[in-house]
Amino acid sequence: MIFLDAAATTPVRREVLEAMWPYLTGEFGNPSSHHSLGEAAANALSGARAAVAKALGCRPGEITFTSGGTEADNLAVKGIALARRAADPALNRVVISAIEHPAVEESALYLQRVHGLEVDVVPVDRHGVVTAEALRAVVGPETALVSIMYANNEIGTVQPVGQLAEVAAEHGVPFHTDAVQAAGWLPIGVKELGIDALSISGHKLGAPKGSGVLYAKGRLRLEPLVHGGGQERGRRSGTENVAGAVALATALTLAHAGQSELAGRVSELRNAFIRTVLEAVPGAVLTGHPSQRLPSVASFCFPGTSGESVLLELERLGVVCSSGSACAAGSDAPSPVLLALGIEPEVAHTAVRFSFDSTVTSAELEQAAEAVAAAVGSVQGLGRR
């Protein structure tokens, strides 16, 4: 089996498993307990926080551990917007892009539905890019928060986050970015990016599912979503997942250390794969930006097919991939991301996404490209019968 669905999840790295194992076994203490087991857990948590802060170029106190990227996005969007509106009732608008992950989009819609805030949606161009001009036309004196993802999980398009953060800063508005797909592939130094908040998910980096991080700058106020014992500096109550925090910190440190070299190598493999598929499959359409994209994502539409049928045929041929976001599994509706690019609904239904992890090889992608051509040809042949 060739696994090309790494944007959905990745296997746990051996180094990560070894680092977290002690905190699942002998060192199982609660970091809030005042005894030796609790102190050992607290020290491990502090070490993990410091390691994540080092990778992001921030202070440890600006790191909040969460249960994953979805919770981190929720805490950022709801927490920042509600805290800012509480301080100034005039700040009653939230800005997101048209291609945000559901964790951001649904958080914004919750604020609209339950708390009466307005949601402004910035359009994207045909490649899925939010321009500074488009954002500038939407941000205003009533904006409480701007949240625009660093890199899209379906089409791989990378946003000019630094430029967009500058637009938000012109109005004194905090800027949050969902960096779940970007971490491990792109630079995530928060000072260099000029951002105020950033979300990461562990299982996209080789850590187990159930671990995440929210970076929130300095004294940026957050209204907590989970109330209780006041852990995580009052931002996220509940006994901390020490093993998960250690795992995420280890995975992020490993990814950060080899990021530039890895991104370059996988980008070359991705480009070759894209060329081969476009040459081998007549009518195939690359979605997302042709060059301003994640090294790890190649996404296509295959008009005249069904994306789900192509996926089934690919799996039969030994290639595992997806039709888009794993968080939209079970939905029959065409992808909102593809519709936002101006792709017709019937074409959007033919989408297939290939996403790679750090171990992908040239031989695997050559074999996968051959399988794509065979699968699409088979599905199109059935449709002509």
Side-chain angles (χ1 to χ4, degrees):
M1 182 183 73
I2 299 174
F3 181 73
L4 299 182
D5 197 18
T9 196
T10 59
V12 178
R13 297 180 62 154
R14 182 179 182 87
E15 306 97 316
V16 170
L17 190 59
E18 291 174 349
M20 69 184 294
W21 183 250
Y23 306 101
L24 294 170
T25 53
E27 303 292 336
F28 58 85
N30 184 323
S32 297
S33 296
H34 298 291
H35 48 58
S36 58
L37 276 176
E39 183 177 346
N43 289 338
L45 190 65
S46 294
R49 200 183 309 277
V52 172
K54 182 179 180 181
L56 296 180
C58 66
R59 297 193 300 272
E62 297 173 313
I63 296 298
T64 300
F65 286 111
T66 69
S67 64
T70 289
E71 186 188 346
D73 283 342
N74 272 256
L75 180 55
V77 175
K78 298 174 185 175
I80 296 171
L82 290 176
R84 281 177 51 79
R85 193 181 69 163
D88 183 354
L91 299 175
N92 65 348
R93 308 187 77 88
V94 173
V95 175
I96 64 174
S97 82
I99 60 170
E100 291 303 308
H101 188 276
V104 167
E105 180 186 18
E106 291 299 323
S107 291
L109 293 177
Y110 163 84
L111 291 172
Q112 182 179 59
R113 184 175 65 254
V114 177
H115 294 279
L117 279 76
E118 295 298 323
V119 178
D120 296 313
V121 179
V122 186
V124 296
D125 66 18
R126 65 189 182 94
H127 296 310
V129 176
V130 178
T131 66
E133 292 73 21
L135 179 59
R136 190 171 282 111
V138 174
V139 179
E142 297 179 343
T143 303
L145 173 71
V146 174
S147 181
I148 296 176
M149 68 192 334
Y150 195 169
N152 187 265
N153 52 303
E154 292 187 41
I155 59 175
T157 295
V158 175
Q159 302 296 344
V161 168
Q163 297 176 24
L164 301 178
E166 288 179 3
V167 173
E170 291 170 5
H171 295 270
V173 178
F175 185 95
H176 164 255
T177 191
D178 175 339
V180 166
Q181 295 294 337
W185 296 107
L186 303 175
I188 52 172
V190 295
K191 292 180 181 177
E192 290 77 12
L193 292 174
I195 59 177
D196 302 285
L198 174 145
S199 304
I200 294 175
S201 179
H203 76 102
K204 313 293 188 178
L205 296 166
K209 301 167 186 68
S211 59
V213 156
L214 174 65
Y215 154 77
K217 182 178 180 179
R219 297 183 180 180
L220 183 63
R221 290 189 57 210
L222 286 173
E223 180 65 31
L225 307 184
V226 180
H227 302 90
Q231 290 90 341
E232 296 297 294
R233 299 167 64 96
R235 290 178 166 180
R236 201 268 187 183
S237 292
T239 302
E240 297 94 340
N241 177 3
V242 178
V246 170
L248 188 150
T250 303
L252 183 61
T253 299
L254 290 169
H256 183 71
Q259 177 238 308
S260 179
E261 180 181 351
L262 174 64
R265 181 183 72 82
V266 176
S267 291
E268 291 182 3
L269 296 179
R270 176 208 64 198
N271 291 341
F273 176 74
I274 289 173
R275 285 194 303 270
T276 303
V277 170
L278 292 178
E279 291 170 0
V281 182
V285 178
L286 179 70
T287 60
H289 197 280
S291 59
Q292 190 176 309
R293 63 189 304 127
L294 284 170
S296 55
V297 174
S299 53
F300 305 89
C301 285
F302 300 113
T305 71
S306 158
E308 292 297 327
S309 296
V310 172
L311 289 179
L312 291 173
E313 184 63 14
L314 280 170
E315 186 165 6
R316 189 185 70 80
L317 296 172
V319 178
V320 175
C321 51
S322 71
S323 58
S325 173
C327 298
S331 173
D332 292 329
S335 163
V337 171
L338 297 182
L339 297 182
L341 270 60
I343 295 174
E344 295 297 325
E346 60 271 20
V347 176
H349 274 298
T350 73
V352 178
R353 178 189 69 184
F354 303 88
S355 50
F356 325 129
D357 67 12
S358 60
T359 65
V360 70
T361 67
S362 176
E364 287 176 326
L365 291 184
E366 288 174 5
Q367 184 178 338
E370 292 176 3
V372 171
V376 172
S378 177
V379 172
Q380 288 176 334
L382 289 173
R384 288 191 291 267
R385 291 181 183 177

